[in-house]
Structure formats: C-alpha cells, structure tokens
Amino acid sequence: MKRRSLITQLSTAIALGTVQWARSEVFLTPDQARTVLYPGQKLATQTITLSSEQRKAIAKASGVRVRSDTINAMRTGSGDWLIYDNVIGKHEFIDIAVAITKSGSVKGVEILTFRETYGDQVKQARWRAQFHGKTTDAALKIDNDIKNISGATLSCVHITEGVRRLLHTHSLVLKNL
Amino acid sequence: MIRRCQPLLGTFVEVTLDGGSDTALHKEANKAFSIIRSVQQRMSFHDADSDVTRLNRCAHIAPLRVHPWTYEVLATAVKLSEETDGAFDITIAPQLVKWGYLPRHTPFTTLQEAGAWKHIELLPGSQVRFHQPLQIDLGGIAKGFAVDKAINILATRGIAQASINAGGDLRIHGPQQQSLVIRDPGAPQAMQHPAVMLRPAVATTAAYFARKRIGVTRVSPIVHPHTGKPLHNNQSVSVFARTCMEADALTKAVLLAPQELWNQVLRARDAVALFLTRKGEQVLYPA
C-alpha cells in the first residue's frame, strides 16, 4: 500500500515535471584535478597504507575519524602532495582532491564529484561502493541538463574536517616518507 | 565548458564557464575562486583576523578602517535594514553564537544587551564605528556579494558565459537563457522545482538544512531581529534581483518583515520573490 502511494506520487510529480532525483555531479576527473592543482608538473603515484597506530594518531590529532587505511596520493618532484580522498556528510558523499605543499600548507581543494542522497543512504558502504572508480562515468550525471540549484545553504563543514584530517596525515605520515 | 566546485564561504561554491579553451577557462575559474576567497578572509565571522571580527572586538571603542569591500557590504546592509524597518539586520550574531551556529570570539553579550543596526555608523574613508557594543555577522549578505564580485571580474575579462552558485546564491552572466531548479522545502534532497531566471541573480533562504534542537528548544539560524525568535516553519523563499547581494539579503526581509513592507522594497529594487507552496506551486510577488 505504502509503495503504491509512493509510485502514484512519483508518477504525478514526473508528469508535472517537478521532480528531480538526487543530485549527482562530476566536476573534475582525478586527472583534470591534477592538472588544475599542479599545472605542467609531473607527479608520481604513491599508494600508502596506514598502520592502525597511524590511523589512531591521525584521528587523535585531527579529531576526525579515519575511515580508510589507504591513501591514494601523488607526489611532485619537489615533494608537494596531491591526495585523493572522500568525505561523508549528513546528506552527501563527496570525492575531493587536496593539494598539500611539502611544508604542510593547503595549496588547493577541489571537489571532484558530489552526490546528494536521502540521509542514511550515504552511510551505507554498498551504496557508496557502486561509485568507486567511476568518476568519469557519464551515467553519474543524472541531472546533466539542469545545472543550477537554488536552496538553503548546505554547510561544507565535513570538507573542512576532511582537510584537517589530511593535514595531520601529512604531518604524521607523508612528511616522513 | 568547465565546471568547478570548491568549499568556500562555509558552503560549496560552483563555477561554470563557457566560451574558450578549457585551459583558459580553468585560469579564469581560479581567478573567480580567489576573489571569493578574499571576500571570505575579510568578512568571515569564524576567522579571528577578518574585518568582521576586528569590528566586533573593538569598533565600539574607536572607529576602525576596513577594506572597501567590507565597507560596501556594510553600507548595503544598513540601507536594507532602514528600508525593511530592521527585518534584515546583520547584528543578530549574539543569538547565533548562543545557539552554536557561530564561534565565540569576544566577551559574550546577549541579543537584548547588544546594539542593533542603528548603532552602526559609516564614516568617511572606509571607517566604521559602533555606538554600542554589538556583533555583526555578514552571513546573510556576503555570499551574494562574493558572487557579484566574481561575476563582475569574469565579465570584465571577456568571459562569454558564466554562472556562480554559492550554496544556492546564484548569478549568471552571458546571453544564454539559463534555467534553475529550486529545492522543495518539504523534501530538499529529493524534489526540486524547475523555475525561470527572472533576473540575473537569485538566492533562496529556508531553514531545512540548518534546523536543530538545543535541549527541548528548536532553533534555526533565521532569527527575527526584533524578538530574537528563530523561524521554525518550512517556508522557502527565493528572491530574484539584479545583484546577488540584494537577492541574498532580501530573502531574509521577505521571511521576516510584514508583507506590505517587503512588497514595497522588492518593487523599488526591481526584485521578485518566489514562494513554493506545499503543492509545489510557485507564487510570485509583487503580484
């Protein structure tokens, strides 16, 4: 019964042209982000696995939980870093690229993909997994035709936390490599 | 065409540019982001060194010189407070600090003790003085200003088509007709309603992403300056205007001022307010 009423609502809304399902957008591919953040520079891929002690130390220093033990990073010849990471917000799942200089300051933060969902969906690992390695997939561009969304302001506090976590990852781990 | 997004102004700022090679457009997007970043540095309440924090700390003791951009935003804010009889007021910050929406920098005064917009004096030479201790927060107007500044720079640099969206405060530049969608206040993640850009800029204000509970009290960052009470309801208003700064600020006036008054202000500023009803219908004012 519940499902039927949902379907009815949905089809009515689609017929009226007023409905758009969850927003999902690709801004930059990882390669494009690299070119934007380090134009004309050669970077070498470095995949780093954090030990559980390192994860704990980063979490303690940054005050942010470390969900993954793998860091997908690249490094320039002069020792600057580019880190690909993701952040889970209240309603959104976001891939980011963060450029951190050799001395440990943020050079730039770019959002690669941005997906908004319904609350809990974003926290389910299986739901998230379907997107991994698919950042350039056209199928992700659900609302390709309409670009501009106006609404109440969505806070980017989770990005700020994610960047703080990566800065501590740099100072505790990457800097010493 | 390129699209970029960076976390700035406490939200997600999207820049879309068209008409040129990708390499050239990325450079222009960098420029736009750096303009927005400098607005953030000057006008952030969070930043301990911003003009806003400096003013809140000591403008009631002696006049302070601020950046011309900060001065420009303050002048517009005070003008809009005058026009809306204080329904738009940048001095509600004490209430937002109390509810944890803003950090606590300075010795705390309650909204009742602190001064209001009337106590802000704009002196020649970009100097500002407060006639009473008060706390300003430009969160309801500076996003729009940042978007305007960035769009103006892009326009002077010959970009054919641009749009900048700072968390729903959006302005477009260029000949191409652009569409937008407005989030449904009842289901902001799920439903969005197509609308037409009636003016070059639009901003939407509603409480749905920021509402929270403090103990048993429900609060939101949309605060009535006269009563200190938060707006609870699910109302969403979008204001279309010639500049994004006006659109940004006027949404609060429309939510908080008497209708007769905001209708008059919108007319005088060539702006249009769009309400979304429960049924998803769009109602426009001034009618």
Side-chain angles (χ1 to χ4, degrees):
Chain A
M1 190 61 198
K2 218 172 185 181
R3 176 179 285 181
R4 174 152 305 169
S5 73
L6 181 67
I7 291 169
T8 319
Q9 271 180 22
L10 258 182
S11 49
T12 319
I14 289 167
L16 293 169
T18 57
V19 80
Q20 278 259 314
W21 286 108
R23 175 189 188 200
S24 180
E25 283 180 78
V26 179
F27 291 99
L28 295 173
T29 65
D31 281 349
Q32 286 170 334
R34 191 197 63 217
T35 324
V36 162
L37 289 163
Y38 291 108
Q41 292 195 54
K42 275 213 173 92
L43 284 93
T45 305
Q46 285 206 334
T47 309
I48 297 130
T49 308
L50 297 172
S51 69
S52 69
E53 288 78 34
Q54 285 171 326
R55 281 174 68 171
K56 273 183 204 151
I58 294 164
K60 198 177 171 209
S62 64
V64 184
R65 199 159 75 96
V66 182
R67 281 184 295 110
S68 167
D69 60 2
T70 311
I71 299 171
N72 295 309
M74 299 188 94
R75 198 179 196 178
T76 67
S78 52
D80 294 337
W81 290 89
L82 174 62
I83 308 173
Y84 298 109
D85 201 89
N86 55 61
V87 172
I88 299 175
K90 196 172 167 192
H91 305 292
E92 67 282 356
F93 178 58
I94 301 162
D95 291 325
I96 56 175
V98 181
I100 298 177
T101 62
K102 191 183 177 186
S103 60
S105 63
V106 177
K107 185 174 144 48
V109 181
E110 294 286 335
I111 313 281
L112 306 182
T113 55
F114 185 104
R115 288 163 224 116
E116 266 183 68
T117 60
Y118 313 98
D120 291 342
Q121 209 177 26
V122 80
K123 303 223 161 65
Q124 294 164 12
R126 245 174 63 202
W127 181 86
R128 292 198 314 269
Q130 67 183 312
F131 297 109
H132 284 304
K134 283 193 183 174
T135 45
T136 54
D137 195 330
L140 281 181
K141 297 183 185 178
I142 296 169
D143 59 353
N144 205 16
D145 297 332
I146 298 174
K147 307 291 190 194
N148 294 316
I149 303 184
S150 190
T153 306
L154 192 61
S155 156
C156 70
V157 67
H158 298 106
I159 304 278
T160 317
E161 287 172 0
V163 172
R164 193 165 72 230
R165 169 170 51 79
L166 293 177
L167 279 174
H168 285 281
T169 309
H170 176 269
S171 78
L172 291 167
V173 182
L174 303 184
K175 207 169 72 178
N176 309 318
L177 290 177
Chain B
M1 187 182 81
I2 63 148
R3 305 202 64 212
R4 294 265 295 275
C5 180
Q6 288 190 4
L8 288 167
L9 306 167
T11 187
F12 299 91
V13 177
E14 297 169 37
V15 172
T16 309
L17 303 177
D18 205 355
S21 75
D22 281 9
T23 320
L25 291 178
H26 275 300
K27 273 194 186 145
E28 298 300 329
N30 289 343
K31 183 82 196 157
F33 283 124
S34 80
I35 298 277
I36 293 169
R37 201 171 298 115
S38 54
V39 172
Q40 170 180 296
Q41 277 161 6
R42 281 158 192 147
M43 300 182 212
S44 160
F45 191 97
H46 298 257
D47 189 340
D49 299 325
S50 71
D51 280 351
V52 165
T53 308
R54 284 171 50 234
L55 287 170
N56 287 340
R57 214 184 290 132
C58 37
H60 60 284
I61 300 164
L64 263 185
R65 186 185 301 275
V66 295
H67 190 273
W69 289 2
T70 314
Y71 193 83
E72 191 183 336
V73 174
L74 288 172
T76 309
V78 170
K79 182 109 206 307
L80 281 164
S81 295
E82 255 166 45
E83 290 174 22
T84 61
D85 195 20
F88 175 77
D89 190 339
I90 54 172
T91 66
I92 57 153
Q95 199 71 314
L96 301 179
V97 172
K98 185 178 163 194
W99 291 336
Y101 287 110
L102 293 175
R104 192 167 290 195
H105 293 304
T106 48
F108 188 65
T109 43
T110 63
L111 190 60
Q112 285 74 32
E113 291 160 7
W117 65 273
K118 282 180 184 162
H119 302 110
I120 302 172
E121 189 186 4
L122 297 159
L123 302 160
S126 295
Q127 297 210 92
V128 182
R129 188 179 156 192
F130 297 164
H131 288 280
Q132 263 192 45
L134 57 87
Q135 287 191 295
I136 57 162
D137 163 42
L138 300 179
I141 187 166
K143 268 193 281 296
F145 176 82
V147 170
D148 284 336
K149 275 284 163 204
I151 281 282
N152 289 342
I153 292 275
L154 292 172
T156 59
R157 294 167 73 92
I159 296 292
Q161 191 78 39
S163 102
I164 300 184
N165 189 351
D169 293 1
L170 149 74
R171 181 159 166 192
I172 55 175
H173 161 76
Q176 212 174 305
Q177 178 71 37
Q178 294 210 22
S179 56
L180 84 153
V181 292
I182 300 171
R183 290 182 193 277
D184 186 299
Q189 268 93 45
M191 282 231 272
Q192 293 147 8
H193 302 272
V196 179
M197 283 298 283
L198 299 167
R199 298 288 182 276
V202 65
T204 300
T205 292
Y208 44 75
F209 284 141
R211 258 191 302 237
K212 61 181 184 182
R213 268 174 195 280
I214 295 177
V216 291
T217 323
R218 290 189 309 151
V219 298
S220 86
I222 307 164
V223 177
H224 201 295
H226 300 169
T227 62
K229 294 224 159 70
L231 186 82
H232 287 310
N233 64 28
N234 232 359
Q235 218 167 22
S236 158
V237 65
S238 304
V239 170
F240 295 87
R242 284 172 299 184
T243 67
C244 203
M245 173 158 60
E246 285 174 293
D248 193 6
L250 287 172
T251 54
K252 287 86 187 176
V254 170
L255 284 173
L256 301 169
Q259 186 175 348
E260 210 171 283
L261 182 59
W262 59 252
N263 243 322
Q264 189 185 320
V265 177
L266 290 179
R267 238 187 230 115
R269 289 185 175 263
D270 186 32
V272 180
L274 184 156
F275 284 90
L276 282 174
T277 66
R278 272 169 177 272
K279 288 178 183 164
E281 292 159 344
Q282 303 178 9
V283 186
L284 297 175
Y285 296 92

